[in-house]
């Protein structure tokens, strides 16, 4: 005697985009701070998609993200808003007021957070060094562009460091940083 069992019906499973590659300082920013609070390494130059993934990760950590500002130099399309966790986040852009390699996010509860934006085409070793430098709790503070420039000078460009040799930055604070989605 043979028995047949029906296959369960196929069901659609929503696709979940990879989480944002992010490294943050372990302490919250102090009021009036001007230094970087960490680094973000987007996977592409699709700002709508990338910002949604970033805000989706940061919204639960920092409280509701309300605004994001970028410099448009490295982004081909600038959306006026994105939707995150059921609410709208307004996107602004500034050419001279904001570092071309930076982004800032505003939250009602956490205030302003400034992040280094690592170009998507950057090699993994180079991005790791930049993330460590931007999220280190100790050491000299540098602007986003200064960090990118120092990395390129030491390792020859955004594709530098593919062999993983050398380190452009000290290891101070690496154990204290928080990494999300790396």
């Amino acid at each position: 005697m043979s028995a047949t069992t029906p296959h369960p019906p196929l069901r659609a499973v929503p696709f979940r985009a990879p989480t944002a590659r992010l490294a943050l300082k372990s302490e919250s920013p102090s009021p009036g701070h001007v230094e970087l609070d960490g680094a973000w390494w987007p996977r592409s130059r699709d700002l709508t998609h990338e910002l949604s993934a970033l805000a989706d990760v940061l919204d639960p950590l920092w409280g509701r993200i309300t605004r994001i500002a970028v410099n448009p130099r490295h982004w081909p399309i600038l959306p006026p808003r994105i939707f995150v966790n059921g609410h709208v986040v307004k996107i602004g852009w500034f050419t001279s007021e904001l570092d071309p390699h930076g982004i800032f996010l505003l939250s009602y509860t956490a205030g302003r957070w400034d992040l280094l934006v690592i170009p998507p085409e950057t090699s993994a070793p180079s991005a790791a060094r930049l993330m460590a430098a931007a999220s280190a709790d100790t050491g000299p503070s540098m602007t986003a562009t200064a960090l990118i420039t120092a990395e390129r000078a030491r390792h020859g460009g955004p594709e530098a460091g593919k062999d993983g040799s050398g380190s452009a930055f000290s290891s101070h604070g690496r154990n204290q940083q928080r990494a999300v989605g790396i």
Side-chain angles (χ1 to χ4, degrees), residues 36 73-74 99-102 116 142-151:
L36 293 170
R73 180 182 298 175
H74 301 292
D99 190 312
H101 294 286
L116 162 69
M142 295 175 73
T143 66
T145 293
L147 284 172
I148 295 283
T149 302
E151 176 66 15

Side-chain angles (χ1 to χ4, degrees), residues 38-153:
W40 171 50
W41 185 22
R43 288 176 167 77
S44 72
R45 298 229 182 247
D46 179 352
L47 193 59
T48 302
H49 176 75
E50 297 296 338
L51 282 181
S52 293
L54 176 65
D56 192 41
V57 169
L58 294 177
D59 217 46
L61 291 174
W62 293 346
R64 179 180 252 181
I65 303 294
T66 57
R67 292 189 177 274
I68 298 174
V70 299
N71 185 307
R73 180 182 298 175
H74 301 292
W75 303 102
I77 297 174
L78 297 169
R81 70 191 70 76
I82 58 171
F83 295 94
V84 177
N85 297 325
H87 69 276
V88 175
V89 177
K90 294 181 180 177
I91 311 300
W93 55 271
F94 301 94
T95 53
S96 60
E97 299 88 357
L98 188 60
D99 190 312
H101 294 286
I103 182 172
F104 78 77
L105 302 98
L106 295 175
S107 162
Y108 286 134
T109 55
R112 177 178 168 158
W113 289 71
D114 292 87
L115 301 176
L116 162 69
V117 179
I118 300 169
E121 61 276 1
T122 304
S123 69
S126 186
R129 286 188 296 271
L130 287 165
M131 290 180 123
S135 62
D137 289 325
T138 60
S141 64
M142 295 175 73
T143 66
T145 293
L147 284 172
I148 295 283
T149 302
E151 176 66 15
R152 287 179 179 161

